[in-house]
Amino acid sequence: MRTPTLAELPPQNGGWIEINIKQQQLCWWQGRTLQYTCSVSTGEKGVGQQEGSGQTPLGWHYIRASIGGGLADNAVFRGRRWTGEVFTSALAAEFPHRDWILTRILWLCGLERGGNRGGDVDTQRRFIYLHGTPPDQPMGVAASHGCIRLRNDDLLYLFEHAPPGTPVWLHNG
């Protein structure tokens, strides 16, 4: 995996992800060509860089790690590890307050020192992911604890197309 540099972003030819928080929309680009769009759900508390804020960070990031390849749709994760569970409505009823991280994880790392990398604004240490969510959770509205939630089909598309090292730009419209 090669870490992208800010000077080369957005890439002229390679794949990259744009997340417009104001519109709650994700775009998958191949260079300057839009390939895919979907609705997302970002932080209910808005945007912000601060650790412990529950907000979605802004700026340029990259996918540091892809977790969950080969697992079933709706595989349940805690601490980036599969619990052995697969999400069902019965499991949701048993654990009504759990923040469900499902199917796959694309773990983000910031690229902007002092903005989203290092100190108490470090996206990776804040455990900010793109991840799946239960089907009853809303898309197109901010409702997460800071991560970017996606529907399974959208997440699986990205997991296939956006390997570690892929740039991700989070902005507020």
Side-chain angles (χ1 to χ4, degrees):
M1 172 185 73
R2 184 181 160 284
T3 303
T5 64
L6 288 171
E8 61 193 14
L9 298 175
Q12 296 295 312
N13 299 310
W16 60 287
I17 296 169
E18 174 189 10
I19 299 171
N20 184 323
I21 294 168
K22 185 176 182 179
Q23 294 179 357
Q24 295 293 296
Q25 184 177 47
L26 179 148
C27 296
W28 168 251
W29 295 87
Q30 195 64 39
R32 301 283 188 235
T33 305
L34 180 61
Q35 300 283 316
Y36 189 86
T37 63
C38 65
S39 293
V40 297
S41 178
T42 62
E44 183 176 36
K45 294 182 179 179
V47 297
Q49 314 303 90
Q50 195 67 35
E51 188 172 341
S53 68
Q55 297 174 313
T56 301
L58 296 173
W60 280 104
H61 299 78
Y62 68 99
I63 296 173
R64 179 75 174 92
S66 298
I67 301 168
L71 294 177
D73 290 3
N74 293 315
V76 177
F77 293 89
R78 294 199 73 173
R80 294 157 310 287
R81 298 202 188 326
W82 182 41
T83 65
E85 302 164 307
V86 175
F87 180 84
T88 62
S89 55
L91 190 62
E94 189 177 341
F95 299 101
H97 302 293
R98 196 185 275 187
D99 180 22
W100 298 101
I101 297 173
L102 304 179
T103 305
R104 304 287 184 275
I105 295 171
L106 297 173
W107 190 359
L108 297 182
C109 183
L111 284 168
E112 301 174 29
R113 283 230 174 263
N116 57 28
R117 185 177 183 120
D120 58 0
V121 296
D122 194 278
T123 296
Q124 184 178 346
R125 282 189 289 215
R126 290 182 59 202
F127 304 105
I128 301 295
Y129 318 134
L130 282 74
H131 67 79
T133 194
D136 66 339
Q137 293 301 299
M139 285 295 124
V141 296
S144 82
H145 297 108
C147 286
I148 298 92
R149 295 177 179 171
L150 297 100
R151 294 279 176 242
N152 280 345
D153 289 346
D154 299 322
L155 180 59
L156 291 169
Y157 177 91
L158 289 175
F159 197 85
E160 180 182 330
H161 289 84
T166 299
V168 179
W169 181 40
L170 292 117
H171 64 93
N172 206 17

